[in-house]
Amino acid sequence: MHELSVCMELIDQVEAIARSHDAERVDTIVLRIGSLSGVEPGLLESAFEMARLGTVAEHARLRTERIEPRIRCRACGLEAEAGPSDLRCPACFGTDTALITGDEMILARVELLQAAD
Amino acid sequence: MCDTCGCNITDGNRHLLRADGSHRKLTAVSVLNKLLQHNDAQAEANRALFDRHGVLVINLMSSPGSGKTSLLEATIKALDGALRIAVIEGDLETENDAARIRALGVEAHQITTGTACHLDAHLVAKVLPKLDLENIDVLFIENVGNLVCPASFDLGHHLNLTLLSVTEGDDKPAKYPVMFRAADAMLISKTDLLAVLDEFSPERAEACLRKLASNAQVLRVSSKTGEGMREWLDWLNRRLEHYRNLRRENRSLSPAVQSEGRRLHGLARPDVRFKPETA
Ligand SMILES: [Zn+2]
């Protein structure tokens, strides 16, 4: 399960952000995970339960936004949704398409709790 | 005014409210960081090192038992010293694969990953000092047998070669699109068994790959009979020549899908953008 490796890097990044904002702890982490990223949000969430222990994100909630594949056809210019195992152009059935979204693994947002003053 | 619940906090009561931790400010930080930017940075460092020495690096990926080590053995024998080869073997536990390569007089280093089901750029970086890069033409990295995890980790290699043996389903490219989309070439292995395994159709496997919008070359090889070896070695030599031409112009090569992803998502550099805002 490589989701644990992904979580370790996630925690590193979140800790750095929390530190630079003098946060007491992390409240929420929002990720964008493409369905062609190779990461399963469910496995990522269970890995996160382990990876967060003893860190500033120990009590944090993890939210994942799933991003479905979208392609652009280089032949006819169409932009369209696609299935993960069929990235052809739905109009001309060309296979010369570029993936616009769907393979990303991005840390999008961190919500931090700080002592009010 | 407290940002969390809108209550009034005065200088007189502030200490009470902070004591139980219930009144704290929530700050939302918007970022656009790649989750694996730490791995990717090490991968770029690895690639820069390979490029300084002009070593073409190929990442071999497949299910367990698809014949990666047998392909390497057959390749080393067929090349008969025409190219200087070295191998990094990724394995969960054992040194067996590296021993098979060393028996042919080729330098091989084993990375035992323990419980990790994939190699990453840091694991590869650790064995690089052991390699005499100046005297290597092609370095093969045999990744852990797994069609899921290795696809997510850039090792700093130049090309991905994904093996699909005819003892597996020919619809694997459709079932594991992340892995097969990343392939610069798909090599159908153990083709000597096609005669007895009529449920595997190389044409169907290729059709599944094309549906992933992949132009990767499809090779058919039997390490046992040598069928298809010539086409595979041609592919290897052409890629090496292409790489060397690029190096003459001080350019390099990264696996097709990874570079495309970086370009399209505009995250060529780990891009940390803080946009503090209170919620
Ligand atoms: Zn089209």
Side-chain angles (χ1 to χ4, degrees), chain A residues 73-78 89-94:
Chain A
C73 177
R74 291 194 185 97
C76 74
L78 182 82
C89 172
C92 71
F93 297 103

Side-chain angles (χ1 to χ4, degrees), chain A residues 1-3 5-6 9-10 12-13 16-17 20-21 24-25 27 31-33 35-39 44 72 74 84-88 94-117, chain B residues 4 9 14 18 23-40 115 117-118 120 122 148-149 152-153 173-175 177-178 181 208 210-215 257 260-261 263-265 267 272 274 276-277 279:
Chain A
M1 185 176 76
H2 63 299
E3 280 77 3
S5 309
V6 175
E9 283 221 33
L10 167 66
D12 277 354
Q13 292 186 32
I17 290 169
S20 69
H21 285 74
E24 268 185 46
R25 61 185 181 89
D27 183 74
L31 307 180
R32 281 188 211 144
I33 304 292
S35 56
L36 279 173
S37 68
V39 161
L44 198 63
R72 186 187 302 118
R74 291 194 185 97
S85 61
D86 191 350
L87 300 169
R88 291 174 304 176
T95 56
D96 189 15
T97 62
L99 192 72
I100 306 167
T101 60
D103 64 346
E104 53 273 87
M105 255 194 266
I106 289 172
L107 170 61
R109 187 180 168 93
V110 183
E111 293 172 9
L112 305 167
L113 285 170
Q114 293 168 303
D117 49 21
Chain B
T4 307
I9 303 173
R14 183 187 301 274
R18 287 177 68 174
H23 285 78
R24 287 186 286 199
K25 199 172 85 180
L26 191 67
T27 302
V29 183
S30 295
V31 288
L32 269 184
N33 287 8
K34 288 173 71 173
L35 284 183
L36 289 175
Q37 65 185 22
H38 193 217
N39 181 76
D40 290 355
T115 54
C117 45
H118 59 274
D120 65 33
H122 294 94
V148 180
C149 309
S152 296
F153 294 85
K175 286 185 175 160
V178 178
R181 219 173 67 81
C208 285
R210 299 292 168 236
K211 279 173 83 174
L212 303 177
S214 165
N215 298 316
V257 162
E260 180 187 70
R263 204 168 56 243
L264 286 165
H265 306 314
L267 291 167
V272 187
F274 295 110
E277 49 187 74

Side-chain angles (χ1 to χ4, degrees), chain B:
Chain B
M1 202 81 128
C2 162
D3 289 321
T4 307
C5 64
C7 67
N8 280 309
I9 303 173
T10 64
D11 282 337
N13 64 17
R14 183 187 301 274
H15 66 287
L16 298 170
L17 294 167
R18 287 177 68 174
D20 68 2
S22 63
H23 285 78
R24 287 186 286 199
K25 199 172 85 180
L26 191 67
T27 302
V29 183
S30 295
V31 288
L32 269 184
N33 287 8
K34 288 173 71 173
L35 284 183
L36 289 175
Q37 65 185 22
H38 193 217
N39 181 76
D40 290 355
Q42 180 64 56
E44 290 304 336
N46 293 353
R47 193 152 27 238
L49 179 67
F50 297 138
D51 289 347
R52 273 202 300 285
H53 297 279
V55 180
L56 178 69
V57 183
I58 302 180
N59 181 26
L60 259 64
M61 299 185 285
S62 77
S63 309
S66 294
K68 296 191 292 295
T69 313
S70 301
L71 175 73
L72 287 177
E73 287 174 315
T75 303
I76 289 163
K77 285 180 197 157
L79 282 169
D80 194 23
L83 294 175
R84 295 166 299 174
I85 303 291
V87 177
I88 293 176
E89 290 281 352
D91 206 326
L92 294 172
E93 299 290 347
T94 70
E95 277 267 342
N96 297 348
D97 291 346
R100 282 168 63 184
I101 300 298
R102 282 188 211 116
L104 299 172
V106 164
E107 184 178 5
H109 296 278
Q110 187 91 34
I111 301 174
T112 43
T113 56
T115 54
C117 45
H118 59 274
L119 292 175
D120 65 33
H122 294 94
L123 286 171
V124 169
K126 267 195 248 169
V127 298
L128 294 184
K130 295 182 186 169
L131 292 168
D132 179 15
L133 292 172
E134 206 42 53
N135 289 305
I136 297 171
D137 297 310
V138 181
L139 171 66
F140 288 103
I141 302 179
E142 185 179 330
N143 218 311
V144 180
N146 177 338
L147 280 178
V148 180
C149 309
S152 296
F153 294 85
D154 187 357
L155 309 176
H157 54 283
H158 301 105
L159 295 166
N160 282 324
L161 182 72
T162 303
L163 271 68
L164 174 62
S165 84
V166 304
T167 56
E168 305 170 65
D170 53 23
D171 59 347
K172 279 235 168 129
K175 286 185 175 160
Y176 299 93
V178 178
M179 170 66 65
F180 283 91
R181 219 173 67 81
D184 292 284
M186 177 171 88
L187 189 146
I188 298 177
S189 61
K190 305 189 186 177
T191 53
D192 51 285
L193 296 174
L194 271 176
V196 289
L197 291 167
D198 52 1
E199 56 269 43
F200 187 99
S201 151
E203 290 74 23
R204 269 202 303 271
E206 180 165 351
C208 285
L209 182 71
R210 299 292 168 236
K211 279 173 83 174
L212 303 177
S214 165
N215 298 316
Q217 188 163 341
V218 177
L219 299 154
R220 302 182 190 185
V221 176
S222 164
S223 304
K224 200 168 167 186
T225 66
E227 180 199 358
M229 266 324 266
R230 204 172 55 84
E231 288 78 7
W232 150 239
L233 293 181
D234 279 352
W235 181 86
L236 181 62
N237 278 308
R238 277 201 313 277
R239 299 319 292 167
L240 180 60
E241 194 188 331
H242 176 60
Y243 173 67
R244 285 177 169 165
N245 288 336
L246 289 172
R247 288 308 299 146
R248 269 180 219 112
E249 300 165 24
N250 209 22
R251 291 157 67 200
S252 184
L253 194 62
S254 32
V257 162
Q258 278 156 11
S259 55
E260 180 187 70
R262 270 200 294 273
R263 204 168 56 243
L264 286 165
H265 306 314
L267 291 167
R269 294 274 166 276
D271 174 24
V272 187
R273 284 188 291 153
F274 295 110
K275 250 193 339 190
E277 49 187 74
T278 46

